Amino acid sequence: MFLLGAKEGVADEAARKLEAAVPGLRVHSHHGHFPKDEASSRDVVDLINRSGATVLLVGFGMPLQELWITRHRGVLAPVVVFSVGAMFDYIAGNVRRGPRWLTQHGFEWLTRLAIEPRRLWRRYLLGLPEFALLIGRQWIAARPRLRAET
């Protein structure tokens, strides 16, 4: 497994905790604070590929992690690649998770907003309604086609 992302030292700590929790698991890591230009990314891709990892978890934050994965997926050796956001901070113990009753019902974002309001208010208070509006528009636009098909 390879963990890519977070501040320096965070992915390393998450890797140590995962290896301690799962006997036999080998976890490699690299922080996410490198220039995302082609040359630096090529070096990181080479590091990932040389590690022999079959699973890559990328935690740069949205949308950077998705864009980076899309740009480099064709040359990455791991079979499975996931974008994981702040997961390394959670595993390392740097960021607390929300109460179980919130996280189990899809409201992890509410806890994150309470913990980091200055950084995340735009994403959650503007981005979520905008996303819902886009989904609603797409659903309305698809309705006539759906009726015609039945």
Side-chain angles (χ1 to χ4, degrees), residues 38-136:
E38 280 307 309
S40 298
S41 291
R42 192 174 323 110
D43 292 342
V44 171
V45 167
D46 288 343
L47 180 66
I48 294 165
N49 291 345
R50 283 194 316 267
S51 75
T54 56
V55 175
L56 170 62
L57 306 178
V58 181
F60 295 156
M62 295 185 333
L64 184 56
Q65 62 198 9
E66 289 80 10
L67 295 171
W68 192 89
I69 290 169
T70 300
R71 192 171 309 119
H72 302 287
R73 184 62 185 114
V75 294
L76 287 165
V79 178
V80 177
V81 180
F82 286 114
S83 58
V84 296
M87 185 178 99
F88 307 150
D89 285 305
Y90 291 130
I91 293 171
N94 296 342
V95 175
R96 286 184 7 171
R97 298 231 26 219
R100 182 172 238 151
W101 60 272
L102 276 178
T103 59
Q104 286 183 337
H105 293 94
F107 289 100
E108 180 85 34
W109 66 270
L110 191 55
T111 302
R112 302 242 3 247
L113 179 60
I115 292 170
E116 299 181 85
R118 291 182 64 127
R119 188 172 80 83
L120 299 174
W121 75 270
R122 274 190 175 86
R123 177 187 301 175
Y124 295 126
L125 299 181
L126 300 178
L128 287 177
E130 180 182 3
F131 179 71
L133 181 64
L134 291 171
I135 295 296

Side-chain angles (χ1 to χ4, degrees), residues 1-12 15 27-36 40 43-45 47-48 56-60 88:
M1 182 177 284
F2 199 104
L3 310 182
L4 175 63
K7 293 178 183 172
E8 241 178 290
V10 175
D12 294 337
V27 183
H28 304 271
S29 62
H30 189 279
H31 62 84
H33 286 254
F34 63 92
K36 305 306 184 285
S40 298
D43 292 342
V44 171
V45 167
L47 180 66
I48 294 165
L56 170 62
L57 306 178
V58 181
F60 295 156
F88 307 150

Side-chain angles (χ1 to χ4, degrees), residues 16-33:
R16 279 191 290 280
K17 288 190 175 188
L18 286 170
E19 287 178 335
V22 181
L25 179 65
R26 281 189 25 232
V27 183
H28 304 271
S29 62
H30 189 279
H31 62 84
H33 286 254

